[in-house]
Every structure is written in C-alpha cells, then in structure tokens.
Amino acid sequence: MNLIEVKGLCKNFESFKLQNVDLTLEEGYIMGFIGRNGAGKSTTLKTMLNLMNSDGGSVKLCGLEMPDNEIEIKNQVGYVFGGVDFYPEAKISKITDVTKAFYHDWNDALYKELCERFEIDQNKKFKQLSAGMKVKYSVAVAMSHNPKLLILDEPTSGLDPAARDDLVLLFQEFIEDGKHSILFSTHITSDLEKCADYITYIKQGKILASSEQDAFRKSYINVSGTKEQIAAAGNDTESKIIGLHKHQLGFEGLMKAEDKTLAENGGFEISEPTLEDIMIHIERR
C-alpha cells in the first residue's frame, strides 16, 4: 500500500512556484526529501497536509484523499515542522494533556516511553527546553497517537550528533514492521545516508530526481584534476561537469555516471559522491 500518493501538486506565490510535484512512498520505507533552502520542501509538505491551499494536483495519504478526509488523515499522520512553538509558559504535561484530546488513538504508554528515552522533564515549562529538546518533544508528540506515516521537516536541526543518531535509530525502528513510513526533509544529508531508502531532490519548485538512495548516488561521480587536465579535456567534456569549480591547484566537480568514460579519458580522479557532494555541486550549477 502507498502511504503517500501526490500527483501534480502546485502552489503559486508571486516569487515562487511549486510545479507539478509527484511523490509516491510505499509503507515500510523512509524517503529523504532534499534541496537547498527555498527550493520548496516545506511548501510541499505543508500543502500536502492542507496547511496551505494547493493550486492544483491531488494528495492521498494513508489511502485517503486530502482534503475530503483531513481529520482522519491527521489522526493517521504524525508531523513535525521546524519553528513551531507551543505556549512558552505552559508546562509540558499541560501541553500534552491538551494535545492528546485531538487524537482518537493516543498512546499514553508510548508517550511516556518516548519522554523517558528523550529525557523530557514533564514539569518544565516549554520555554525552559533547549532547541534540541523542543524538537525531541515535538517528535514524541507526533509519534504518540500511533500514526502510520511521519512527515518531518528538518527534525534533526538543533540536535548534537549523538541526539541526531538517537532519532535516526528511532525512525528505523518505526518502519521495521513494514507498516509505517517516513517522509523526512532535511539539509543534514549525513542523517539520510544512515536511514533513507529513497531520495527525492527538489530544485526551484520542481522535482529533479526521485529514486532509491543507492541508485541516486551511483548516478553521479565526483571528478577532480589539474588545470592541465581540464584544459586538455576540451569544452565538450568541461560542459558535462556539474558545478565545476576551478581553483589554483586544478578543478573539482560532479559528472553523470554515464559520462564516466569521458572522465577516465581525461585522466580525472574519480570517486563516489556523498549526498552532500551531489547537493553542493548541483546547487553551484
């Protein structure tokens, strides 16, 4: 079963357009959603959840059409968006008591387990939590009504490496039974390398690529070399280098894997790129 089916999603602003976004995610998988700030990640997620009205396209979450089944969908979807603040003077326990009233399948035992795991003090006021603890609390709330799907916008921002690793492990546990999925937007691509099955890349409001993580990474190669090598390679080869950066010692960039022979013929150094490498060079382009 597909927990996400988005087709032709559009949202128009004066200075930006989300254009015909298609997303599909089966149950049992994690999809990383990447792109630079302003590329349309948050707009896509908020429009999917009807927090913004769309200007075209269709959204089906957990097998239900949005917005016709919005209340039921939001009982089956947990979501966390960066920058969302609860009442600063309210105690965590009070915020939780109010929040859980909106869900028909709230799981108190799971909530307490997550709070213990995250070391969240129920007696603290929300304003007393660090930025990282606020994220952990938001994740705990999002997971405590037994959702089938998590939609997360920058959930690991503000967390130290150890805390980010704890969250990544939790996300992997969440999908282990093959019945749950996560759509995970982040600019910390190293977190996605640990857990994402699929990568979807958005640039300037358009989906640039969407595939299995291994296939996505293997579709590119890092290339580098000397000034003499890039000069000898000629314009045809140089034009194939994505995000070409020339410097005093030589050059570096990215090429499609299908152009590997050109790189080899030029004597370039070749290596496998990380998600961060791919993002840097594509955006430099």
Side-chain angles (χ1 to χ4, degrees), residues 39-170:
K41 300 188 301 298
S42 294
T43 299
T44 299
L45 302 185
K46 289 178 179 178
T47 307
M48 284 170 56
L49 288 165
N50 204 35
L51 300 176
M52 292 181 176
N53 294 326
S54 71
D55 292 312
S58 63
V59 176
K60 186 183 286 188
L61 301 176
C62 303
L64 300 170
E65 297 280 354
M66 180 70 91
D68 295 348
N69 303 284
E70 184 172 357
I71 293 176
E72 182 55 33
I73 286 172
K74 289 182 176 177
N75 268 284
Q76 297 188 35
V77 176
Y79 47 97
V80 175
F81 291 105
V84 176
D85 282 334
F86 295 94
Y87 293 109
E89 295 292 339
K91 284 187 177 182
I92 296 301
S93 57
K94 181 63 176 178
I95 294 170
T96 303
D97 286 341
V98 171
T99 302
K100 69 183 185 181
F102 290 92
Y103 296 101
H104 58 56
D105 198 19
W106 182 267
N107 188 330
D108 263 322
L110 176 58
Y111 172 73
K112 290 175 183 175
E113 178 187 323
L114 290 170
C115 285
E116 288 178 11
R117 182 168 178 164
F118 293 153
E119 299 180 334
I120 297 170
D121 185 346
Q122 298 292 300
N123 293 313
K124 278 190 174 183
K125 292 182 179 180
F126 187 76
K127 71 177 184 180
Q128 294 175 307
L129 299 183
S130 67
M133 291 302 289
K134 288 177 180 178
V135 171
K136 289 181 177 181
Y137 175 65
S138 297
V139 171
V141 170
M143 295 184 70
S144 292
H145 62 276
N146 294 320
K148 294 179 181 178
L149 172 67
L150 290 179
I151 294 179
L152 310 171
D153 193 3
E154 305 286 356
T156 54
S157 294
L159 298 179
D160 60 63
R164 294 204 326 265
D165 193 61
D166 286 343
L167 269 192
V168 167
L169 289 173
L170 179 64

